[in-house]
Amino acid sequence: MIGELIRILTATLGTLGFALVFRVRHWHLVWATLGGTLAWVSDVIVSHLGGGAFLSSLAGALAVCLWSEGMARWRKAPANVYLIPGIVPLLPGSALYYAMEGAIYSDMEVFTQRGIDALLASLGIAGGILIASEIVRIILVVQYKTRRK
């Protein structure tokens, strides 16, 4: 439990750091950081429920993308201000590192396993963003059609 709290705290600080690197305006900084925290908490919850790299990354990306779209409308800013820093904790950096290390040292078992983990996490992130974007698009179309009547 303590380990998970430390991982959530470091994901939050990492999101804050990337938000600063990407020059997110100070009035959006807290909300962008909370998006990364939400993404990582979603990832951890699904992972503890038995979801693999794909499902946990999908859940995290779905959460942060829906958060970003909501914040964009509420705060009158582009969704990318919240999405890009928020997605950073989900990126499969360690899996890519160990896959490349396995390739360099000709350890094909490590290379294959870590490469598959990185690929599944990447596909989960892309899928989560796609699903959330379509959900928001459908909601906006329905709202537009309802207002026109």
Side-chain angles (χ1 to χ4, degrees):
M1 181 68 177
I2 297 294
E4 294 303 326
L5 290 175
I6 290 172
R7 289 174 58 196
I8 290 169
L9 178 64
T10 56
T12 302
L13 292 175
T15 303
L16 175 63
F18 275 96
L20 291 171
V21 167
F22 294 139
R23 296 183 184 208
V24 172
R25 304 274 185 203
H26 68 276
W27 53 86
H28 299 297
L29 204 57
V30 171
W31 303 110
T33 303
L34 286 175
T37 305
L38 176 67
W40 192 252
V41 168
S42 301
D43 184 281
V44 167
I45 289 170
V46 171
S47 182
H48 277 300
L49 292 175
F54 176 77
L55 285 179
S56 60
S57 294
L58 182 101
L62 187 65
V64 75
C65 192
L66 290 173
W67 170 266
S68 299
E69 292 289 344
M71 295 307 321
R73 274 134 187 93
W74 182 52
R75 307 281 298 168
K76 309 269 191 281
N80 285 345
V81 169
Y82 305 102
L83 179 64
I84 293 173
I87 213 81
V88 167
L90 299 175
L91 297 177
S94 65
L96 284 172
Y97 173 82
Y98 289 118
M100 291 301 105
E101 185 180 53
I104 290 170
Y105 293 119
S106 299
D107 188 351
M108 287 300 127
E109 184 178 334
V110 170
F111 171 71
T112 304
Q113 183 57 45
R114 293 303 188 145
I116 289 171
D117 288 345
L119 179 65
L120 288 174
S122 300
L123 289 173
I125 292 168
I129 292 171
L130 179 69
I131 291 168
S133 296
E134 284 303 308
I135 289 170
V136 170
R137 186 187 67 78
I138 290 168
I139 290 170
L140 292 176
V141 166
V142 168
Q143 279 182 343
Y144 177 74
K145 287 183 178 183
T146 314
R147 287 183 187 161
R148 290 196 60 188
K149 289 183 179 182

mmCIF file of all heavy atoms in Angstrom, residues 67-113:
data_model
loop_
_atom_site.group_PDB
_atom_site.id
_atom_site.type_symbol
_atom_site.label_atom_id
_atom_site.label_comp_id
_atom_site.label_asym_id
_atom_site.label_seq_id
_atom_site.Cartn_x
_atom_site.Cartn_y
_atom_site.Cartn_z
ATOM 1 N N TRP A 67 -11.029 13.363 -18.619
ATOM 2 C CA TRP A 67 -10.687 14.485 -17.735
ATOM 3 C C TRP A 67 -10.269 15.702 -18.563
ATOM 4 O O TRP A 67 -10.723 16.820 -18.323
ATOM 5 C CB TRP A 67 -9.573 14.072 -16.783
ATOM 6 C CG TRP A 67 -8.972 15.175 -15.991
ATOM 7 C CD1 TRP A 67 -7.866 15.908 -16.296
ATOM 8 C CD2 TRP A 67 -9.427 15.686 -14.736
ATOM 9 N NE1 TRP A 67 -7.615 16.829 -15.323
ATOM 10 C CE2 TRP A 67 -8.557 16.715 -14.352
ATOM 11 C CE3 TRP A 67 -10.491 15.363 -13.912
ATOM 12 C CZ2 TRP A 67 -8.721 17.430 -13.180
ATOM 13 C CZ3 TRP A 67 -10.646 16.078 -12.728
ATOM 14 C CH2 TRP A 67 -9.770 17.101 -12.378
ATOM 15 N N SER A 68 -9.409 15.474 -19.548
ATOM 16 C CA SER A 68 -8.893 16.565 -20.373
ATOM 17 C C SER A 68 -10.010 17.238 -21.167
ATOM 18 O O SER A 68 -10.038 18.469 -21.271
ATOM 19 C CB SER A 68 -7.835 16.041 -21.338
ATOM 20 O OG SER A 68 -6.759 15.496 -20.630
ATOM 21 N N GLU A 69 -10.896 16.441 -21.720
ATOM 22 C CA GLU A 69 -12.008 17.009 -22.484
ATOM 23 C C GLU A 69 -12.932 17.816 -21.572
ATOM 24 O O GLU A 69 -13.382 18.900 -21.943
ATOM 25 C CB GLU A 69 -12.796 15.908 -23.190
ATOM 26 C CG GLU A 69 -12.041 15.212 -24.290
ATOM 27 C CD GLU A 69 -11.825 16.066 -25.527
ATOM 28 O OE1 GLU A 69 -12.503 17.108 -25.684
ATOM 29 O OE2 GLU A 69 -10.971 15.688 -26.338
ATOM 30 N N GLY A 70 -13.200 17.299 -20.384
ATOM 31 C CA GLY A 70 -14.034 18.037 -19.438
ATOM 32 C C GLY A 70 -13.382 19.323 -18.972
ATOM 33 O O GLY A 70 -14.016 20.383 -18.924
ATOM 34 N N MET A 71 -12.100 19.253 -18.659
ATOM 35 C CA MET A 71 -11.379 20.439 -18.203
ATOM 36 C C MET A 71 -11.267 21.469 -19.326
ATOM 37 O O MET A 71 -11.329 22.673 -19.073
ATOM 38 C CB MET A 71 -9.975 20.076 -17.710
ATOM 39 C CG MET A 71 -9.898 19.198 -16.494
ATOM 40 S SD MET A 71 -10.793 19.658 -15.006
ATOM 41 C CE MET A 71 -10.681 21.342 -14.829
ATOM 42 N N ALA A 72 -11.112 20.990 -20.552
ATOM 43 C CA ALA A 72 -10.999 21.911 -21.687
ATOM 44 C C ALA A 72 -12.267 22.746 -21.838
ATOM 45 O O ALA A 72 -12.198 23.943 -22.115
ATOM 46 C CB ALA A 72 -10.726 21.126 -22.962
ATOM 47 N N ARG A 73 -13.402 22.110 -21.628
ATOM 48 C CA ARG A 73 -14.652 22.854 -21.742
ATOM 49 C C ARG A 73 -14.889 23.749 -20.537
ATOM 50 O O ARG A 73 -15.378 24.864 -20.665
ATOM 51 C CB ARG A 73 -15.822 21.898 -21.935
ATOM 52 C CG ARG A 73 -15.989 21.575 -23.391
ATOM 53 C CD ARG A 73 -16.173 20.128 -23.662
ATOM 54 N NE ARG A 73 -16.171 19.826 -25.084
ATOM 55 C CZ ARG A 73 -15.087 19.470 -25.753
ATOM 56 N NH1 ARG A 73 -13.910 19.452 -25.183
ATOM 57 N NH2 ARG A 73 -15.154 19.156 -27.024
ATOM 58 N N TRP A 74 -14.532 23.254 -19.375
ATOM 59 C CA TRP A 74 -14.743 24.043 -18.155
ATOM 60 C C TRP A 74 -13.790 25.230 -18.067
ATOM 61 O O TRP A 74 -14.190 26.331 -17.727
ATOM 62 C CB TRP A 74 -14.600 23.148 -16.931
ATOM 63 C CG TRP A 74 -14.856 23.864 -15.636
ATOM 64 C CD1 TRP A 74 -15.947 24.618 -15.308
ATOM 65 C CD2 TRP A 74 -13.996 23.895 -14.509
ATOM 66 N NE1 TRP A 74 -15.821 25.106 -14.032
ATOM 67 C CE2 TRP A 74 -14.622 24.671 -13.512
ATOM 68 C CE3 TRP A 74 -12.761 23.334 -14.235
ATOM 69 C CZ2 TRP A 74 -14.042 24.908 -12.289
ATOM 70 C CZ3 TRP A 74 -12.195 23.557 -12.999
ATOM 71 C CH2 TRP A 74 -12.845 24.350 -12.037
ATOM 72 N N ARG A 75 -12.513 24.992 -18.407
ATOM 73 C CA ARG A 75 -11.487 26.020 -18.255
ATOM 74 C C ARG A 75 -11.239 26.808 -19.543
ATOM 75 O O ARG A 75 -10.363 27.656 -19.578
ATOM 76 C CB ARG A 75 -10.180 25.390 -17.785
ATOM 77 C CG ARG A 75 -10.277 24.525 -16.530
ATOM 78 C CD ARG A 75 -10.332 25.299 -15.283
ATOM 79 N NE ARG A 75 -9.104 26.057 -15.156
ATOM 80 C CZ ARG A 75 -8.923 27.024 -14.281
ATOM 81 N NH1 ARG A 75 -9.871 27.339 -13.454
ATOM 82 N NH2 ARG A 75 -7.788 27.671 -14.227
ATOM 83 N N LYS A 76 -11.966 26.496 -20.605
ATOM 84 C CA LYS A 76 -11.848 27.199 -21.892
ATOM 85 C C LYS A 76 -10.409 27.176 -22.419
ATOM 86 O O LYS A 76 -9.800 28.204 -22.694
ATOM 87 C CB LYS A 76 -12.325 28.651 -21.767
ATOM 88 C CG LYS A 76 -13.678 28.826 -21.141
ATOM 89 C CD LYS A 76 -14.766 28.819 -22.183
ATOM 90 C CE LYS A 76 -16.087 29.242 -21.630
ATOM 91 N NZ LYS A 76 -16.798 28.232 -20.896
ATOM 92 N N ALA A 77 -9.889 25.964 -22.553
ATOM 93 C CA ALA A 77 -8.520 25.762 -23.036
ATOM 94 C C ALA A 77 -8.515 24.529 -23.939
ATOM 95 O O ALA A 77 -9.445 23.722 -23.895
ATOM 96 C CB ALA A 77 -7.569 25.556 -21.863
ATOM 97 N N PRO A 78 -7.484 24.368 -24.737
ATOM 98 C CA PRO A 78 -7.395 23.144 -25.549
ATOM 99 C C PRO A 78 -7.223 21.909 -24.665
ATOM 100 O O PRO A 78 -6.578 21.966 -23.613
ATOM 101 C CB PRO A 78 -6.146 23.369 -26.405
ATOM 102 C CG PRO A 78 -5.859 24.818 -26.331
ATOM 103 C CD PRO A 78 -6.409 25.309 -25.043
ATOM 104 N N ALA A 79 -7.784 20.793 -25.093
ATOM 105 C CA ALA A 79 -7.690 19.556 -24.321
ATOM 106 C C ALA A 79 -6.248 19.078 -24.204
ATOM 107 O O ALA A 79 -5.881 18.443 -23.206
ATOM 108 C CB ALA A 79 -8.557 18.473 -24.948
ATOM 109 N N ASN A 80 -5.415 19.377 -25.188
ATOM 110 C CA ASN A 80 -4.014 18.941 -25.149
ATOM 111 C C ASN A 80 -3.234 19.523 -23.977
ATOM 112 O O ASN A 80 -2.254 18.928 -23.537
ATOM 113 C CB ASN A 80 -3.304 19.296 -26.450
ATOM 114 C CG ASN A 80 -3.697 18.380 -27.570
ATOM 115 O OD1 ASN A 80 -4.277 17.325 -27.336
ATOM 116 N ND2 ASN A 80 -3.396 18.780 -28.789
ATOM 117 N N VAL A 81 -3.665 20.674 -23.469
ATOM 118 C CA VAL A 81 -3.006 21.272 -22.301
ATOM 119 C C VAL A 81 -3.065 20.314 -21.119
ATOM 120 O O VAL A 81 -2.123 20.232 -20.324
ATOM 121 C CB VAL A 81 -3.666 22.626 -21.948
ATOM 122 C CG1 VAL A 81 -3.197 23.148 -20.608
ATOM 123 C CG2 VAL A 81 -3.410 23.641 -23.046
ATOM 124 N N TYR A 82 -4.148 19.564 -21.024
ATOM 125 C CA TYR A 82 -4.330 18.635 -19.920
ATOM 126 C C TYR A 82 -3.954 17.206 -20.300
ATOM 127 O O TYR A 82 -3.507 16.437 -19.456
ATOM 128 C CB TYR A 82 -5.791 18.673 -19.446
ATOM 129 C CG TYR A 82 -6.242 20.057 -19.082
ATOM 130 C CD1 TYR A 82 -7.036 20.801 -19.946
ATOM 131 C CD2 TYR A 82 -5.834 20.639 -17.894
ATOM 132 C CE1 TYR A 82 -7.437 22.088 -19.618
ATOM 133 C CE2 TYR A 82 -6.224 21.922 -17.561
ATOM 134 C CZ TYR A 82 -7.021 22.637 -18.433
ATOM 135 O OH TYR A 82 -7.399 23.912 -18.104
ATOM 136 N N LEU A 83 -4.128 16.859 -21.553
ATOM 137 C CA LEU A 83 -3.899 15.486 -21.992
ATOM 138 C C LEU A 83 -2.418 15.122 -22.054
ATOM 139 O O LEU A 83 -2.010 14.073 -21.552
ATOM 140 C CB LEU A 83 -4.546 15.251 -23.360
ATOM 141 C CG LEU A 83 -4.351 13.862 -23.947
ATOM 142 C CD1 LEU A 83 -5.034 12.819 -23.082
ATOM 143 C CD2 LEU A 83 -4.876 13.808 -25.362
ATOM 144 N N ILE A 84 -1.619 15.960 -22.661
ATOM 145 C CA ILE A 84 -0.219 15.588 -22.900
ATOM 146 C C ILE A 84 0.561 15.395 -21.596
ATOM 147 O O ILE A 84 1.194 14.359 -21.419
ATOM 148 C CB ILE A 84 0.447 16.585 -23.864
ATOM 149 C CG1 ILE A 84 -0.205 16.444 -25.240
ATOM 150 C CG2 ILE A 84 1.942 16.334 -23.952
ATOM 151 C CD1 ILE A 84 0.225 17.467 -26.255
ATOM 152 N N PRO A 85 0.520 16.334 -20.647
ATOM 153 C CA PRO A 85 1.214 16.039 -19.385
ATOM 154 C C PRO A 85 0.582 14.872 -18.620
ATOM 155 O O PRO A 85 1.275 14.107 -17.956
ATOM 156 C CB PRO A 85 1.087 17.329 -18.568
ATOM 157 C CG PRO A 85 0.747 18.377 -19.537
ATOM 158 C CD PRO A 85 0.013 17.712 -20.658
ATOM 159 N N GLY A 86 -0.730 14.720 -18.740
ATOM 160 C CA GLY A 86 -1.430 13.672 -18.004
ATOM 161 C C GLY A 86 -1.152 12.272 -18.506
ATOM 162 O O GLY A 86 -1.271 11.301 -17.762
ATOM 163 N N ILE A 87 -0.770 12.144 -19.755
ATOM 164 C CA ILE A 87 -0.540 10.826 -20.332
ATOM 165 C C ILE A 87 0.884 10.335 -20.035
ATOM 166 O O ILE A 87 1.169 9.145 -20.138
ATOM 167 C CB ILE A 87 -0.830 10.858 -21.855
ATOM 168 C CG1 ILE A 87 -1.397 9.529 -22.321
ATOM 169 C CG2 ILE A 87 0.371 11.174 -22.665
ATOM 170 C CD1 ILE A 87 -2.825 9.363 -22.075
ATOM 171 N N VAL A 88 1.775 11.231 -19.649
ATOM 172 C CA VAL A 88 3.188 10.891 -19.448
ATOM 173 C C VAL A 88 3.406 9.756 -18.443
ATOM 174 O O VAL A 88 4.216 8.859 -18.708
ATOM 175 C CB VAL A 88 4.004 12.152 -19.069
ATOM 176 C CG1 VAL A 88 5.377 11.809 -18.557
ATOM 177 C CG2 VAL A 88 4.110 13.073 -20.270
ATOM 178 N N PRO A 89 2.707 9.708 -17.299
ATOM 179 C CA PRO A 89 2.967 8.601 -16.372
ATOM 180 C C PRO A 89 2.632 7.224 -16.940
ATOM 181 O O PRO A 89 3.145 6.217 -16.469
ATOM 182 C CB PRO A 89 2.061 8.900 -15.173
ATOM 183 C CG PRO A 89 1.761 10.332 -15.243
ATOM 184 C CD PRO A 89 1.801 10.699 -16.695
ATOM 185 N N LEU A 90 1.782 7.181 -17.951
ATOM 186 C CA LEU A 90 1.378 5.897 -18.518
ATOM 187 C C LEU A 90 2.372 5.352 -19.542
ATOM 188 O O LEU A 90 2.305 4.181 -19.901
ATOM 189 C CB LEU A 90 0.013 6.045 -19.195
ATOM 190 C CG LEU A 90 -1.140 6.472 -18.299
ATOM 191 C CD1 LEU A 90 -2.388 6.689 -19.132
ATOM 192 C CD2 LEU A 90 -1.385 5.453 -17.211
ATOM 193 N N LEU A 91 3.259 6.184 -20.035
ATOM 194 C CA LEU A 91 4.181 5.748 -21.079
ATOM 195 C C LEU A 91 5.059 4.603 -20.581
ATOM 196 O O LEU A 91 5.573 4.641 -19.463
ATOM 197 C CB LEU A 91 5.046 6.916 -21.548
ATOM 198 C CG LEU A 91 4.284 8.066 -22.188
ATOM 199 C CD1 LEU A 91 5.239 9.194 -22.542
ATOM 200 C CD2 LEU A 91 3.507 7.608 -23.391
ATOM 201 N N PRO A 92 5.248 3.576 -21.415
ATOM 202 C CA PRO A 92 5.973 2.367 -20.975
ATOM 203 C C PRO A 92 7.495 2.523 -21.060
ATOM 204 O O PRO A 92 8.173 1.787 -21.777
ATOM 205 C CB PRO A 92 5.459 1.304 -21.945
ATOM 206 C CG PRO A 92 5.173 2.066 -23.199
ATOM 207 C CD PRO A 92 4.660 3.405 -22.740
ATOM 208 N N GLY A 93 8.028 3.472 -20.323
ATOM 209 C CA GLY A 93 9.464 3.755 -20.383
ATOM 210 C C GLY A 93 10.336 2.608 -19.911
ATOM 211 O O GLY A 93 11.322 2.253 -20.571
ATOM 212 N N SER A 94 9.996 2.007 -18.785
ATOM 213 C CA SER A 94 10.833 0.924 -18.267
ATOM 214 C C SER A 94 10.774 -0.299 -19.170
ATOM 215 O O SER A 94 11.783 -0.972 -19.399
ATOM 216 C CB SER A 94 10.438 0.554 -16.838
ATOM 217 O OG SER A 94 9.135 0.016 -16.814
ATOM 218 N N ALA A 95 9.596 -0.594 -19.720
ATOM 219 C CA ALA A 95 9.475 -1.744 -20.626
ATOM 220 C C ALA A 95 10.329 -1.532 -21.871
ATOM 221 O O ALA A 95 11.019 -2.458 -22.330
ATOM 222 C CB ALA A 95 8.015 -1.967 -21.008
ATOM 223 N N LEU A 96 10.314 -0.313 -22.416
ATOM 224 C CA LEU A 96 11.144 -0.030 -23.585
ATOM 225 C C LEU A 96 12.631 -0.114 -23.247
ATOM 226 O O LEU A 96 13.428 -0.642 -24.023
ATOM 227 C CB LEU A 96 10.816 1.362 -24.140
ATOM 228 C CG LEU A 96 9.522 1.468 -24.919
ATOM 229 C CD1 LEU A 96 9.217 2.922 -25.239
ATOM 230 C CD2 LEU A 96 9.606 0.666 -26.195
ATOM 231 N N TYR A 97 12.995 0.409 -22.088
ATOM 232 C CA TYR A 97 14.400 0.373 -21.670
ATOM 233 C C TYR A 97 14.896 -1.069 -21.556
ATOM 234 O O TYR A 97 15.943 -1.422 -22.098
ATOM 235 C CB TYR A 97 14.574 1.102 -20.338
ATOM 236 C CG TYR A 97 15.966 0.959 -19.774
ATOM 237 C CD1 TYR A 97 16.986 1.771 -20.213
ATOM 238 C CD2 TYR A 97 16.249 -0.012 -18.811
ATOM 239 C CE1 TYR A 97 18.271 1.634 -19.706
ATOM 240 C CE2 TYR A 97 17.527 -0.166 -18.305
ATOM 241 C CZ TYR A 97 18.533 0.663 -18.756
ATOM 242 O OH TYR A 97 19.803 0.515 -18.258
ATOM 243 N N TYR A 98 14.135 -1.902 -20.851
ATOM 244 C CA TYR A 98 14.576 -3.284 -20.659
ATOM 245 C C TYR A 98 14.499 -4.099 -21.950
ATOM 246 O O TYR A 98 15.290 -5.025 -22.144
ATOM 247 C CB TYR A 98 13.784 -3.950 -19.531
ATOM 248 C CG TYR A 98 14.167 -3.382 -18.184
ATOM 249 C CD1 TYR A 98 13.235 -2.721 -17.398
ATOM 250 C CD2 TYR A 98 15.471 -3.488 -17.714
ATOM 251 C CE1 TYR A 98 13.592 -2.187 -16.178
ATOM 252 C CE2 TYR A 98 15.845 -2.952 -16.490
ATOM 253 C CZ TYR A 98 14.896 -2.301 -15.731
ATOM 254 O OH TYR A 98 15.256 -1.764 -14.520
ATOM 255 N N ALA A 99 13.573 -3.755 -22.836
ATOM 256 C CA ALA A 99 13.533 -4.422 -24.139
ATOM 257 C C ALA A 99 14.791 -4.096 -24.934
ATOM 258 O O ALA A 99 15.411 -4.987 -25.530
ATOM 259 C CB ALA A 99 12.285 -4.005 -24.915
ATOM 260 N N MET A 100 15.184 -2.839 -24.935
ATOM 261 C CA MET A 100 16.396 -2.453 -25.663
ATOM 262 C C MET A 100 17.646 -3.042 -25.019
ATOM 263 O O MET A 100 18.575 -3.460 -25.713
ATOM 264 C CB MET A 100 16.520 -0.932 -25.739
ATOM 265 C CG MET A 100 15.479 -0.276 -26.616
ATOM 266 S SD MET A 100 15.511 -0.863 -28.309
ATOM 267 C CE MET A 100 14.084 -1.914 -28.365
ATOM 268 N N GLU A 101 17.645 -3.101 -23.695
ATOM 269 C CA GLU A 101 18.771 -3.717 -23.005
ATOM 270 C C GLU A 101 18.874 -5.201 -23.366
ATOM 271 O O GLU A 101 19.969 -5.718 -23.612
ATOM 272 C CB GLU A 101 18.613 -3.551 -21.490
ATOM 273 C CG GLU A 101 19.820 -4.067 -20.707
ATOM 274 C CD GLU A 101 19.635 -3.891 -19.224
ATOM 275 O OE1 GLU A 101 18.595 -4.348 -18.689
ATOM 276 O OE2 GLU A 101 20.535 -3.314 -18.588
ATOM 277 N N GLY A 102 17.719 -5.874 -23.432
ATOM 278 C CA GLY A 102 17.706 -7.270 -23.844
ATOM 279 C C GLY A 102 18.211 -7.440 -25.268
ATOM 280 O O GLY A 102 18.921 -8.401 -25.583
ATOM 281 N N ALA A 103 17.850 -6.508 -26.140
ATOM 282 C CA ALA A 103 18.327 -6.580 -27.529
ATOM 283 C C ALA A 103 19.830 -6.365 -27.604
ATOM 284 O O ALA A 103 20.527 -7.064 -28.349
ATOM 285 C CB ALA A 103 17.597 -5.545 -28.379
ATOM 286 N N ILE A 104 20.342 -5.427 -26.830
ATOM 287 C CA ILE A 104 21.783 -5.135 -26.852
ATOM 288 C C ILE A 104 22.585 -6.321 -26.342
ATOM 289 O O ILE A 104 23.622 -6.677 -26.913
ATOM 290 C CB ILE A 104 22.090 -3.867 -26.034
ATOM 291 C CG1 ILE A 104 21.549 -2.648 -26.781
ATOM 292 C CG2 ILE A 104 23.576 -3.718 -25.766
ATOM 293 C CD1 ILE A 104 21.577 -1.376 -25.976
ATOM 294 N N TYR A 105 22.105 -6.959 -25.280
ATOM 295 C CA TYR A 105 22.827 -8.089 -24.687
ATOM 296 C C TYR A 105 22.395 -9.436 -25.255
ATOM 297 O O TYR A 105 22.725 -10.479 -24.689
ATOM 298 C CB TYR A 105 22.679 -8.082 -23.165
ATOM 299 C CG TYR A 105 23.382 -6.908 -22.530
ATOM 300 C CD1 TYR A 105 22.677 -5.961 -21.794
ATOM 301 C CD2 TYR A 105 24.752 -6.737 -22.683
ATOM 302 C CE1 TYR A 105 23.315 -4.883 -21.216
ATOM 303 C CE2 TYR A 105 25.405 -5.653 -22.108
ATOM 304 C CZ TYR A 105 24.680 -4.736 -21.387
ATOM 305 O OH TYR A 105 25.315 -3.668 -20.825
ATOM 306 N N SER A 106 21.653 -9.415 -26.353
ATOM 307 C CA SER A 106 21.194 -10.624 -27.053
ATOM 308 C C SER A 106 20.381 -11.562 -26.167
ATOM 309 O O SER A 106 20.442 -12.780 -26.323
ATOM 310 C CB SER A 106 22.383 -11.382 -27.655
ATOM 311 O OG SER A 106 23.056 -10.576 -28.589
ATOM 312 N N ASP A 107 19.635 -10.999 -25.245
ATOM 313 C CA ASP A 107 18.729 -11.778 -24.404
ATOM 314 C C ASP A 107 17.336 -11.677 -25.032
ATOM 315 O O ASP A 107 16.537 -10.812 -24.684
ATOM 316 C CB ASP A 107 18.736 -11.243 -22.976
ATOM 317 C CG ASP A 107 17.960 -12.116 -22.020
ATOM 318 O OD1 ASP A 107 17.274 -13.058 -22.477
ATOM 319 O OD2 ASP A 107 18.026 -11.855 -20.801
ATOM 320 N N MET A 108 17.051 -12.555 -25.962
ATOM 321 C CA MET A 108 15.822 -12.472 -26.740
ATOM 322 C C MET A 108 14.565 -12.708 -25.903
ATOM 323 O O MET A 108 13.503 -12.195 -26.220
ATOM 324 C CB MET A 108 15.857 -13.459 -27.911
ATOM 325 C CG MET A 108 16.792 -13.040 -29.014
ATOM 326 S SD MET A 108 16.282 -11.437 -29.668
ATOM 327 C CE MET A 108 17.795 -10.530 -29.543
ATOM 328 N N GLU A 109 14.691 -13.459 -24.824
ATOM 329 C CA GLU A 109 13.534 -13.692 -23.961
ATOM 330 C C GLU A 109 13.092 -12.391 -23.293
ATOM 331 O O GLU A 109 11.904 -12.042 -23.296
ATOM 332 C CB GLU A 109 13.859 -14.746 -22.908
ATOM 333 C CG GLU A 109 12.674 -15.104 -22.038
ATOM 334 C CD GLU A 109 13.016 -16.180 -21.025
ATOM 335 O OE1 GLU A 109 13.935 -16.978 -21.269
ATOM 336 O OE2 GLU A 109 12.342 -16.205 -19.979
ATOM 337 N N VAL A 110 14.051 -11.651 -22.733
ATOM 338 C CA VAL A 110 13.744 -10.366 -22.101
ATOM 339 C C VAL A 110 13.268 -9.371 -23.156
ATOM 340 O O VAL A 110 12.286 -8.643 -22.957
ATOM 341 C CB VAL A 110 14.973 -9.822 -21.345
ATOM 342 C CG1 VAL A 110 14.740 -8.389 -20.889
ATOM 343 C CG2 VAL A 110 15.296 -10.703 -20.160
ATOM 344 N N PHE A 111 13.951 -9.342 -24.292
ATOM 345 C CA PHE A 111 13.576 -8.431 -25.369
ATOM 346 C C PHE A 111 12.137 -8.673 -25.822
ATOM 347 O O PHE A 111 11.353 -7.733 -25.961
ATOM 348 C CB PHE A 111 14.539 -8.592 -26.556
ATOM 349 C CG PHE A 111 14.103 -7.858 -27.784
ATOM 350 C CD1 PHE A 111 14.150 -6.471 -27.836
ATOM 351 C CD2 PHE A 111 13.630 -8.542 -28.891
ATOM 352 C CE1 PHE A 111 13.742 -5.782 -28.974
ATOM 353 C CE2 PHE A 111 13.217 -7.861 -30.023
ATOM 354 C CZ PHE A 111 13.273 -6.490 -30.066
ATOM 355 N N THR A 112 11.793 -9.927 -26.023
ATOM 356 C CA THR A 112 10.452 -10.261 -26.492
ATOM 357 C C THR A 112 9.395 -9.916 -25.452
ATOM 358 O O THR A 112 8.386 -9.275 -25.766
ATOM 359 C CB THR A 112 10.367 -11.755 -26.849
ATOM 360 O OG1 THR A 112 11.372 -12.057 -27.814
ATOM 361 C CG2 THR A 112 9.008 -12.107 -27.400
ATOM 362 N N GLN A 113 9.607 -10.328 -24.208
ATOM 363 C CA GLN A 113 8.601 -10.096 -23.165
ATOM 364 C C GLN A 113 8.403 -8.604 -22.899
ATOM 365 O O GLN A 113 7.276 -8.120 -22.840
ATOM 366 C CB GLN A 113 8.989 -10.822 -21.872
ATOM 367 C CG GLN A 113 7.960 -10.694 -20.776
ATOM 368 C CD GLN A 113 6.591 -11.199 -21.198
ATOM 369 O OE1 GLN A 113 6.464 -12.255 -21.794
ATOM 370 N NE2 GLN A 113 5.554 -10.437 -20.913
#
